[in-house]
Amino acid sequence: MSRFKPFDTEPVPERALLVGVEYGRREWSLEDSMAELARLAETDGAEVVATLTQRLDTPVSKTFIGKGKAEELVSFVRNLNVDVVIFDDELSPSQQSNLEKIVGSPTKIIDRTALILDIFGTHAKTREGRLQVQLAQLQYVLPRLRGMWSHLVGEQTRGGIGSRFGQGESQLEIDRRLIRDKISMLQHELRNLEKRREVQSKLRWDSGIFSVSLAGYTNAGKSTLLNQLTNASVYAKDELFATLDPTTRTITLEEGRKITLTDTVGFIQKLPTTLIESFKSTLAEAQAADLILLVVDASDKNFDKEIEVVTSILNDIKVSAHKKLLVFNKIDLLDTNNLAKMRTLYPDAVFISAQKAMGLRGLLYTIAHIAGEDDKTLHVCIPFDQGFLIHMVHERCQIIRTCYQASGLQMTVRADKQMQATLSPFTCS
């Protein structure tokens, strides 16, 4: 008989209660928004034990939900042993504080923003990703600092020596200053990383490589698509925000043109403003792209709303003028009739299944066509002493014909805008 009792080391999932309020005009139904919140909670390792909803004209200023619903919330927490209450909308610091007092410890009160920040904190792997998440978390926490030094504030009420200095308030201000200093430091580090990224983007632009950025709603299948097209090994899983850090890979199209493909962070409705601000350096990959593939989950009933969310965020980061190609993924999950309807509604879109490798050749053909829209056919004669230029032509142009002459190498090529400018002194009729 063993002297030691085995015990389970697997973490026990927190029991979560979800709360949603329907008010005003909403693009998403409360039911759909709550279903997405449940998926977010499950992605973060929680077990959803109950859902509480309410319809109001406007949220209650003190507690977001009404008094009766707050009492119902307390009852749910007590009877179901709830560890964390998650609100579908962002709570103000005072609303969060008031709800914590009503519910009592140790149950936590958080909102959708805090939940997304927690998921991002878990999934960020690169140094830049971790810095961006940390910055967003500190910006979220700063206005919510409270109550940590109430024992010192209590000493002021007794009067006596030292009571005039307001120790509690001073300590709170110290904490706020420390967080502000940390925010400034993180912003400085991210600016340096952004400069480095700009240099890398400029080098890619100078190289003439056509850049493609994958953008889309979270879980649309961007990472799976990148893996299929480039034989990459980017982490891909059926969960929200499975990948967070951008990944760039190079592939060569059938015509010989090299392009880069970059996977970016997935978007979501009610994406916190602090996150968009913090991830601007990552989203700069989309800003610098020649073409954006807007990847959409064709099997999701809210795909049209998801397109609106992604388009809105792309507009916010000023990439609205870029070339875009709508790519409907997961068509293997659609029946023949629904797929035919979608092809009619979106005649300019490409339809694929990244998981089943369906339609990928057609997608690459469309990318090649877009990449070559500004190409021109040139007849050039390059002197033999311009070896580096001849090498560039072989690297960056589609060679149609080659003929050796005494004056140099005569070539007929298809060239992009940059190479057209470079070869202009050597053109011939």
Side-chain angles (χ1 to χ4, degrees):
M1 184 175 175
S2 174
R3 294 166 52 195
F4 302 101
K5 272 190 175 182
F7 59 91
D8 192 359
T9 57
E10 187 177 348
V12 178
E14 289 186 291
R15 296 170 64 80
L17 169 63
L18 309 183
V19 181
V21 174
E22 185 169 10
Y23 61 93
R25 292 185 61 187
R26 298 170 67 106
E27 293 182 4
W28 292 62
S29 70
L30 182 60
E31 180 185 358
D32 290 338
S33 191
M34 294 299 288
E36 185 175 82
L37 184 66
R39 287 207 66 196
L40 284 168
E42 289 161 3
T43 298
D44 207 26
E47 176 192 359
V48 178
V49 295
T51 298
L52 196 63
T53 59
Q54 184 176 27
R55 284 180 172 81
L56 293 171
D57 292 333
T58 56
V60 177
S61 58
K62 287 187 176 181
T63 54
F64 201 81
I65 53 177
K67 184 179 178 182
K69 194 59 68 171
E71 292 172 354
E72 191 177 344
L73 171 64
V74 173
S75 176
F76 268 80
V77 169
R78 298 288 179 267
N79 295 330
L80 297 175
N81 297 319
V82 172
D83 299 304
V84 57
V85 177
I86 308 172
F87 278 73
D88 190 39
D89 292 277
E90 187 166 338
L91 299 172
S92 69
S94 62
Q95 286 169 340
Q96 187 175 348
S97 177
N98 292 333
L99 286 163
E100 285 172 350
K101 290 173 185 174
I102 292 170
V103 172
S105 60
T107 304
K108 293 174 288 186
I109 304 290
I110 66 170
D111 54 23
R112 175 186 272 254
T113 299
L115 179 62
I116 294 174
L117 287 171
D118 197 54
I119 295 170
F120 273 40
T122 304
H123 290 184
K125 305 301 179 190
T126 64
R127 178 168 174 265
E128 184 175 16
R130 289 194 294 267
L131 288 174
Q132 289 166 331
V133 171
Q134 192 176 358
L135 174 60
Q137 287 173 336
L138 288 174
Q139 289 172 331
Y140 177 80
V141 165
L142 182 59
R144 288 166 172 79
L145 279 181
R146 61 184 185 276
M148 296 170 63
W149 305 97
S150 56
H151 63 290
L152 291 177
V153 177
E155 291 178 7
Q156 299 173 48
T157 60
R158 296 201 300 267
I161 298 172
S163 63
R164 295 181 294 274
F165 295 100
Q167 302 100 316
E169 188 65 29
S170 298
Q171 187 60 61
L172 190 58
E173 285 304 315
I174 289 170
D175 287 347
R176 284 176 178 151
R177 187 168 67 250
L178 288 172
I179 288 181
R180 290 191 191 102
D181 290 344
K182 181 68 173 176
I183 286 173
S184 296
M185 185 190 74
L186 290 172
Q187 288 172 333
H188 177 71
E189 287 190 60
L190 285 170
R191 278 195 295 271
N192 289 337
L193 288 172
E194 189 172 353
K195 288 177 184 175
R196 193 178 307 167
R197 188 184 292 277
E198 286 173 358
V199 171
Q200 293 170 344
S201 295
K202 186 177 185 301
L203 288 173
R204 280 203 295 270
W205 191 87
D206 290 340
S207 70
I209 296 178
F210 190 84
S211 60
V212 180
S213 184
L214 307 180
Y217 209 77
T218 181
N219 206 42
K222 300 185 303 300
S223 298
T224 303
L225 177 58
L226 183 74
N227 288 338
Q228 285 282 18
L229 293 177
T230 66
N231 294 318
S233 55
V234 176
Y235 179 72
K237 190 176 179 183
D238 184 19
E239 64 179 21
L240 304 185
F241 301 115
T243 52
L244 182 59
D245 301 303
T247 305
T248 300
R249 295 288 184 271
T250 302
I251 62 171
T252 303
L253 302 176
E254 284 187 6
E255 64 180 34
R257 183 193 299 270
K258 283 185 179 179
I259 66 169
T260 60
L261 281 171
T262 301
D263 185 16
T264 59
V265 61
F267 301 145
I268 198 168
Q269 61 139 342
K270 302 178 185 176
L271 189 66
T273 307
T274 51
L275 267 181
I276 296 175
E277 287 296 318
S278 300
F279 277 77
K280 270 188 175 174
S281 60
T282 298
L283 297 173
E285 290 292 342
Q287 291 175 316
D290 297 302
L291 171 66
I292 293 175
L293 298 187
L294 209 166
V295 184
V296 183
D297 180 354
S299 66
D300 195 308
K301 66 177 183 178
N302 290 314
F303 75 84
D304 53 340
K305 296 172 185 172
E306 292 173 359
I307 292 173
E308 290 178 13
V309 169
V310 175
T311 303
S312 175
I313 294 174
L314 289 175
N315 290 341
D316 288 343
I317 60 172
K318 296 179 173 58
V319 294
S320 56
H322 286 52
K323 293 179 181 178
K324 297 186 186 69
L325 176 62
L326 199 57
V327 179
F328 282 99
N329 188 25
K330 306 185 184 182
I331 60 170
D332 55 303
L333 302 179
L334 298 178
D335 59 40
T336 307
N337 289 336
N338 281 331
L339 181 56
K341 286 178 184 176
M342 291 188 69
R343 288 185 186 277
T344 304
L345 287 171
Y346 299 93
D348 297 325
V350 176
F351 294 82
I352 66 165
S353 169
Q355 189 74 44
K356 304 290 184 182
M358 296 165 56
L360 299 187
R361 189 168 185 178
L363 172 61
L364 290 175
Y365 175 83
T366 305
I367 292 173
H369 176 73
I370 295 172
E373 281 180 340
D374 296 323
D375 290 1
K376 285 185 178 178
T377 301
L378 301 178
H379 303 286
V380 296
C381 183
I382 305 175
F384 292 116
D385 61 0
Q386 297 288 328
F388 179 72
L389 183 56
I390 294 173
H391 176 75
M392 279 183 67
V393 171
H394 279 90
E395 281 284 311
R396 294 176 49 176
C397 299
Q398 182 182 359
I399 300 173
I400 300 171
R401 188 175 67 88
T402 302
C403 180
Y404 288 89
Q405 301 288 341
S407 56
L409 185 61
Q410 282 193 355
M411 308 174 80
T412 301
V413 299
R414 290 283 294 174
D416 60 28
K417 277 187 174 181
Q418 281 183 284
M419 285 304 294
Q420 289 169 32
T422 302
L423 294 173
S424 60
F426 305 97
T427 57
C428 57
S429 56

